Amino acid sequence: MIIVKNTVKITKGEAHKLTDRFQQTGLIDSFPGFIDLDVLINRKEGDTDEVIISTRWETFEDFSRWLGSDEFRQKHKHGKKQPDFIQSSVITTYDVAVSRKSIVQKENVS
Ligand code: HEM
C-alpha cells in the first residue's frame, strides 16, 4: 500500500477554494487500486496556507496508471495555467510501513 500526497501552497485564507472542489465524488473514486483520500488544511503562519491531498493506493502501479489516465487529465485540465490561488505544488510518495485502526467496536448507525 502507498500514500501519495500533493502538497499545495495557497494564498492565505483561500484554502476553501481548493477544498470545495473535492466535496463531490469525482473520477478517481472508481479507479482501480484507489483506496481513499483525505483533503487536509494546514493553516500556517505567514501569508500562505497549505492544502494536502492525501491519496491511498493498493500499489504504485495503480497510482501511475491513474496519473496517465483520461480520468486524471479531465480533472487537471487547467494544465500549466492552474488557478490563481495555487502558488506551488509538491508531490510526495510514501510506502505504508505500518497501518493500525481502532479495535473498539463502532455502533452501527444505519
Ligand atoms: C501541479 C500539480 C497539480 C495541481 C496544481 C493540482 C490541482 C488540482 C485541482 C485544482 C483539482 C480540482 C479539479 C476540479 O475542479 O474538479 C484537482 C483534482 C484532484 N487532484 Fe490534483 N493537482 C495536481 C496534481 C495532482 C497529483 C499528482 C495528485 C496525486 C495525489 C492529485 C490529486 C488530485 C485528486 C485526487 C483530485 C480529484 C480527482 C477526482 O475527483 O476524480 N493532483 N487537482
Side-chain angles (χ1 to χ4, degrees), residues 6 18 21-22 26-28 55 66 75-76 82 89 91:
N6 184 13
L18 183 58
R21 298 192 186 196
F22 287 84
L27 299 175
I28 195 173
T55 61
W66 177 70
K75 287 288 175 179
H76 293 89
Q82 53 199 26
S89 162
I91 313 299

Side-chain angles (χ1 to χ4, degrees), residues 27-95:
L27 299 175
I28 195 173
D29 306 82
S30 52
F31 201 85
F34 168 75
I35 300 174
D36 57 19
L37 69 76
D38 292 298
V39 180
L40 316 169
I41 303 177
N42 180 0
R43 297 185 204 283
K44 291 158 76 91
E45 291 183 10
D47 55 6
T48 56
D49 286 326
E50 215 169 61
V51 171
I52 301 177
I53 298 124
S54 179
T55 61
R56 193 189 304 263
W57 300 85
E58 302 284 359
T59 67
F60 183 79
E61 288 69 32
D62 293 320
F63 167 69
S64 270
R65 272 190 284 274
W66 177 70
L67 209 53
S69 70
D70 283 345
E71 285 86 341
F72 179 85
R73 260 189 297 280
Q74 276 192 47
K75 287 288 175 179
H76 293 89
K77 271 185 183 151
H78 43 87
K80 283 188 182 139
K81 200 188 162 300
Q82 53 199 26
D84 293 346
F85 51 88
I86 295 183
Q87 300 190 358
S88 66
S89 162
V90 174
I91 313 299
T92 318
T93 305
Y94 303 85
D95 283 336

